[in-house]
Amino acid sequence: MTVGPDTLAALLKRKDVLPAGWESVFGMVAREDFVPARIWPDDTEALLDRDRDPEAWRRAVYSDRALVTQWDDGRHSGTEAGRLATSSASTPSTLAEMLYDLDAAPGMRVLEVGTGTGYSAGLLAARGCRVTSIEVDPHLARRARENLAAAGFGDLVEVITGDGTLGHRAGGPYDRIQVTAGVRRVPAAWIEQAAPGAVIVLPWGTDYGSGDCALRLVVGADRRGASGPFTLATAFMKLRAQRPDWRRYGGAALPDDWTAYARATTTTLGYDDVVGGPFDPVGFVLGLCVPDCLARPVLHGIFGATLWLYGADTGRGHSIAAADFGADAPTIRQSGPRRLWHEVEASWHWWNARGRPTIHDFGLTVTVTGDGVVDQQPWYGATTFPLVPPAHDWPARGRG
């Protein structure tokens, strides 16, 4: 059976994720024109090489799967999966749903942050949009230009090599901004370079977990802020400028003997309660409730797990907590100015008491202040955060 662009368009139509007017676009733009010869489907992370097995490669290209196209910022060259996936061809259904949120119409100026293979930019160009796309990796930017030119979109998409968090003022103001990398802090440039009423669609999340949620922001008339709801649980590779920075969360600043100053407690919650699965809302909600916190779950075989929590220094020093879950009752150790586990536990009870609302009940308001600083204010209905005040009733060291 021969597969191709029409096969993918039909698949997305059956899944009911194709926006109105986009079926012909997906049928027109061949994903294979943008995907490199070597790919790692992220559900297997086993290399598929077009030269060795063209049929398997083609089936993967026209499936609804994300395809890793680069590891370790291009330093990886082997056949095995690398350490960190740093570029990919997004899952087509996720791309389609985010294009639905974007609502881009012919003639609109669109800024894309994260060119990757160029496939998404090609779809927008085929839709009739005027596209400026920014890619931080020079090799990926060059290859995307080649892909777009070969597919017939070279004159319709301008690919800029640079830092996407800075936008591209010369091409604005933009009617739409599409971001294809995970964001932790919305840059002021995106709002300032958007037209009043423009839509910005981006994957947004916190350092509590690696997952993201698609966020649909509408820019205000004064172009000093934007607000909107979360629409879709997903996961994207993070902007290179916004990957979790261990130095912010302690690094060498945390003393090796922190356990000597830690306070011990226990909990009625379990590991799964506060970690959840890949698209479980609990991790995302806890990240909203417990700001400036990096969470790292560690499994110990089938017998137990530890959830490590690291609190950034926001003026009173770093904090750390370790929640150990095993056969016996959980053991919690906390040290530093914040009681990170107590914040997580209180936030979980807040979420549970409200019937465990999904990500669709939450949103984000972004405001650019006079000095260019961006304030991000999560909300739940009419309630704004913090929902649970940070717990810090002892000094950073000692038992004071």
Side-chain angles (χ1 to χ4, degrees), residues 205-249:
T206 70
D207 286 341
Y208 187 90
S210 60
D212 305 297
C213 285
L215 172 65
R216 187 181 194 271
L217 297 172
V218 178
V219 177
D222 60 358
R223 294 162 62 178
R224 301 302 297 173
S227 187
F230 296 106
T231 64
L232 173 71
T234 184
F236 275 74
M237 295 159 194
K238 308 304 173 265
L239 286 169
R240 294 193 185 183
Q242 295 190 6
R243 292 172 182 166
D245 185 352
W246 279 99
R247 293 168 298 180
R248 182 171 182 258
Y249 291 100

Side-chain angles (χ1 to χ4, degrees), residues 17 42 45 51 55 67 72 74 89 99 103 143 163 188 265 321 373 395:
V17 296
D42 70 353
E45 293 191 352
D51 297 331
E55 287 305 314
L67 309 172
D72 304 321
L99 287 171
D103 192 24
R143 190 165 64 186
D163 183 353
T265 185
V373 175

Side-chain angles (χ1 to χ4, degrees), residues 261-276:
Y261 304 95
R263 294 196 176 185
T265 185
T266 188
T267 181
T268 59
L269 298 181
Y271 175 83
D272 292 338
D273 290 324
V274 292
V275 175

Side-chain angles (χ1 to χ4, degrees), residues 15-356:
K15 290 192 171 187
D16 197 26
V17 296
L18 269 182
W22 283 86
E23 182 176 356
S24 61
V25 173
F26 273 87
M28 181 191 315
V29 182
R31 197 182 187 206
E32 65 187 290
D33 290 342
F34 297 88
V35 175
R38 287 159 51 97
I39 56 176
W40 290 260
D42 70 353
D43 54 355
T44 65
E45 293 191 352
L47 173 67
L48 286 178
D49 191 321
R50 181 181 57 199
D51 297 331
R52 294 188 176 186
D53 193 343
E55 287 305 314
W57 179 90
R58 189 174 174 84
R59 285 195 302 271
V61 167
Y62 288 111
S63 68
D64 192 23
R65 301 158 77 183
L67 309 172
V68 175
T69 58
Q70 185 196 70
W71 295 95
D72 304 321
D73 295 331
R75 294 185 299 273
H76 174 271
S77 60
T79 59
E80 299 297 322
R83 176 176 168 272
L84 178 68
T86 50
S87 188
S88 72
S90 300
T91 305
S93 59
T94 298
L95 177 58
E97 292 193 74
M98 293 181 71
L99 287 171
Y100 174 86
D101 288 342
L102 192 69
D103 192 24
M108 285 186 172
R109 291 180 180 270
V110 179
L111 173 67
E112 179 185 55
V113 177
T115 314
T117 65
Y119 177 61
S120 177
L123 291 170
L124 288 165
R127 174 68 169 159
C129 299
R130 293 174 287 174
V131 185
T132 300
S133 187
I134 308 177
E135 173 55 56
V136 69
D137 188 306
H139 173 70
L140 294 180
R142 176 181 57 79
R143 190 165 64 186
R145 290 189 196 98
E146 295 170 351
N147 293 341
L148 288 161
F153 302 112
D155 295 333
L156 302 176
V157 179
E158 181 182 15
V159 178
I160 306 294
T161 303
D163 183 353
T165 64
L166 303 177
H168 184 64
R169 191 173 298 277
Y174 300 100
D175 304 296
R176 299 289 187 267
I177 297 177
Q178 172 176 269
V179 184
T180 63
V183 176
R184 294 298 175 258
R185 298 173 299 284
V186 178
W190 297 351
I191 297 172
E192 294 168 346
Q193 295 173 23
V199 174
I200 305 174
V201 175
L202 64 150
W204 188 93
T206 70
D207 286 341
Y208 187 90
S210 60
D212 305 297
C213 285
L215 172 65
R216 187 181 194 271
L217 297 172
V218 178
V219 177
D222 60 358
R223 294 162 62 178
R224 301 302 297 173
S227 187
F230 296 106
T231 64
L232 173 71
T234 184
F236 275 74
M237 295 159 194
K238 308 304 173 265
L239 286 169
R240 294 193 185 183
Q242 295 190 6
R243 292 172 182 166
D245 185 352
W246 279 99
R247 293 168 298 180
R248 182 171 182 258
Y249 291 100
L254 286 166
D256 293 335
D257 61 344
W258 72 269
T259 54
Y261 304 95
R263 294 196 176 185
T265 185
T266 188
T267 181
T268 59
L269 298 181
Y271 175 83
D272 292 338
D273 290 324
V274 292
V275 175
F279 301 110
D280 192 310
V282 62
F284 186 78
V285 173
L286 292 177
L288 294 178
C289 294
V290 187
D292 300 307
C293 177
L294 184 147
R296 283 290 179 265
V298 178
L299 294 173
H300 308 303
I302 62 174
F303 301 105
T306 300
L307 177 64
W308 291 91
L309 303 170
Y310 301 88
D313 184 357
T314 56
R316 304 185 70 235
H318 295 95
S319 300
I320 185 172
D324 292 311
F325 300 90
D328 300 324
T331 300
I332 317 297
R333 293 170 293 162
Q334 303 180 90
S335 183
R338 290 173 62 185
R339 292 178 295 164
L340 292 172
W341 173 259
H342 282 79
E343 292 181 36
V344 167
E345 188 174 49
S347 299
W348 185 92
H349 285 293
W350 175 91
W351 174 70
N352 187 59
R354 282 152 185 80
R356 304 188 179 190

